[in-house]
Each structure stands twice: as C-alpha cells, then as structure tokens.
Amino acid sequence: MSEFTRHDIDSAPEKARPIIENTAKGFGFVPAPVALMAESPELLEGFMTGNGLFNKTTLSPLEREVLILTMATTVECHYCVAMHSAMLTRQGAGQGLIEALRTRTPLEDPKLEAIRVFTLAVMEGHGNVAPEVMQSFLDAGYTRRNALEVVLGLGVYTISTYANRMTEAPVDEPFKAFEWHGKH
C-alpha cells in the first residue's frame, strides 16, 4: 500500500491548497491524483500548469484524449485510463473508440489512428521519429506544430502517469465504472 498522504484542503502544504480548492470546485471532489501529488506543491503546480497549456493546443479535445489514453495504456496508468475513459464517454465518444484505445488496437478513424500511431512512435523513439512516420502524420492532416504538441502532451502526462503509479492513486468512485487493469 502507498505510504503517500492523500491530502485534503486542510492537510495539504499551503502552496498546494489553492490548487486543491480549484480542482474540488471543478470536479466536485478532490481526485486522488491531485490529493496525492499535493505532497509536492511544485509537482502539482507543474502538472496543472502543463495540463492547462496542453488544453490550449490546436489539437482537438478528442485528439488530446486519444493521446492521453494511448500513453496511459502504454505505461499502464490505471487511474488515467479510468478517468479519461470517463471523460471520453462524457464527450460522447463511441464505445468502439474507447474500447480500442483501452485494448491498444487500431482505431477506425484514420486521423485518430494517425495520432495514436504517432504518439506511440514518439514514445518508443524517445522523440526520435522516422521520416516516414512523420510524413504519415502530416499526410493525415496534422502539422509540425501538432507534432510538437504531442511532445507537450506526453511531457505533461508523464508527470501524472508516473506520480499516479508511484503513489498508487486509487480510482475514485466517479471513475470506478471505467476501471482498467494492465499487465502489471
């Protein structure tokens, strides 16, 4: 079991309290990852700031979710998979798309499949992407700016996926219906 403290507004370090308060307003509760990351206000602020920037990119909300779920299933972040499956469901994404992302299988939509494949290539190559992979991404309608936005998304979600796994963040009740278990 995790030895990290699941903070609330009262127990969190002072610098983390405004972030926890704001998150609680948005979700109606303090999600476990936020409560656990609050132990390091700098980590929590870094993730929240990065997430805010990622949400401002030219990638659509659906494309961002495809990237996040692709990464989350690859690094086996149980919390991220559950939460972002719920978010896709709320966005009205089809269950076929969500299931394909959760099972790491090709997507029917060619453009979404292109971002999934590109995300995996960036992860596997640690940023080194073969020219033909980049060209396929561009041919699908993405731009070089989008390629760099993928890097931003991966950077931001590396923070949360690693922290969630390290702290063993339990899946909160609103996301329980979307629980997922990877290989580990």
Side-chain angles (χ1 to χ4, degrees):
M1 188 49 133
S2 173
E3 294 185 25
F4 291 87
T5 302
R6 185 173 181 161
H7 288 283
D8 58 25
I9 293 169
D10 296 325
S11 70
E14 190 172 329
K15 285 181 67 178
R17 290 178 186 167
I19 298 170
I20 289 179
E21 288 173 356
N22 192 42
T23 302
K25 287 177 190 170
F27 279 90
F29 67 100
V30 180
V34 171
L36 291 160
M37 281 193 272
E39 188 70 26
S40 169
E42 297 79 13
L43 175 74
L44 181 57
E45 182 180 0
F47 171 68
M48 296 303 248
T49 300
N51 190 50
L53 292 171
F54 183 53
N55 287 337
K56 292 179 183 179
T57 65
T58 60
L59 295 171
S60 72
L62 180 58
E63 291 164 336
R64 292 192 305 268
E65 291 299 326
V66 167
L67 180 151
I68 295 164
L69 265 178
T70 298
M71 180 187 192
T73 58
T74 301
V75 301
E76 298 185 354
C77 178
H78 63 288
Y79 195 98
C80 292
V81 174
M83 179 181 183
H84 291 280
S85 295
M87 291 177 76
L88 276 169
T89 298
R90 273 191 247 122
Q91 286 181 12
Q95 287 304 306
L97 170 65
I98 296 167
E99 190 59 28
L101 287 165
R102 290 168 62 97
T103 59
R104 305 178 198 152
T105 56
L107 307 180
E108 289 183 19
D109 182 295
K111 190 167 184 190
L112 294 178
E113 176 63 3
I115 197 166
R116 185 187 78 84
V117 168
F118 187 75
T119 298
L120 290 169
V122 173
M123 291 176 70
E124 291 166 7
H126 307 282
N128 186 23
V129 178
E132 60 273 12
V133 174
M134 178 65 77
Q135 193 57 54
S136 291
F137 184 68
L138 297 172
D139 289 347
Y142 291 103
T143 65
R144 293 188 187 285
R145 176 180 179 168
N146 295 144
L148 293 172
E149 292 170 343
V150 167
V151 173
L152 174 61
L154 289 172
V156 170
Y157 279 88
T158 294
I159 294 171
S160 67
T161 59
Y162 284 21
N164 291 343
R165 292 194 68 193
M166 181 183 289
T167 63
E168 299 175 2
V171 176
D172 290 302
E173 192 57 42
F175 309 126
K176 286 265 188 201
F178 300 94
E179 277 190 297
W180 176 89
H181 303 284
K183 296 177 198 168
H184 295 103

